[in-house]
Amino acid sequence: MRDKKQYKAVANSLVMVLQFGINVIVPILLCTLIGTFITSKTGKQGFAIGGILIGIVAAFNGAYRSVRGYLKNEESPGQRARRLEKEALDNNKAQGELNRE
């Protein structure tokens, strides 16, 4: 049972990393392509650089929004440690009762 939880945690971490990467790369590439397209159509310079800058701002905004839920932790580290300690004690008690039977 514990192995399944670990695999699930690893899978969730990989998904989060992939989502973070997509949230960063896609806006930068799209804005760069749009800026390059406008530069080629108008003949004026600077749209590609502007597109890159707008893409970077959009990428940071998207990355922040996707990670914001993970950063908001409602319990303090001390509360988390106490909860984990209590869960470990409860698990040990339950295993001890199973071993007696």
Side-chain angles (χ1 to χ4, degrees):
M1 179 94 164
R2 186 175 184 193
D3 291 334
K4 289 182 182 180
K5 286 183 181 180
Q6 288 176 343
Y7 289 133
K8 199 172 199 178
V10 170
N12 286 339
S13 298
L14 288 175
V15 167
M16 190 179 88
V17 168
L18 276 171
Q19 181 182 5
F20 184 77
I22 289 171
N23 282 343
V24 170
I25 292 172
V26 170
I28 294 173
L29 289 177
L30 284 177
C31 290
T32 303
L33 290 174
I34 291 170
T36 305
F37 177 74
I38 293 172
T39 299
S40 68
K41 290 296 180 185
T42 62
K44 295 183 180 179
Q45 300 294 322
F47 286 107
I49 294 173
I52 291 171
L53 293 176
I54 291 171
I56 290 171
V57 170
F60 279 119
N61 185 26
Y64 172 73
R65 286 179 181 222
S66 68
V67 176
R68 180 175 54 188
Y70 295 104
L71 294 178
K72 187 184 276 186
N73 191 358
E74 295 181 5
E75 64 182 2
S76 70
Q79 290 173 334
R80 182 175 186 271
R82 285 188 292 274
R83 181 180 53 82
L84 292 174
E85 184 177 309
K86 183 180 178 197
E87 288 175 4
L89 287 173
D90 291 343
N91 288 339
N92 288 340
K93 287 179 183 177
Q95 287 178 353
E97 289 176 8
L98 288 176
N99 290 337
R100 284 186 227 158
E101 293 177 358

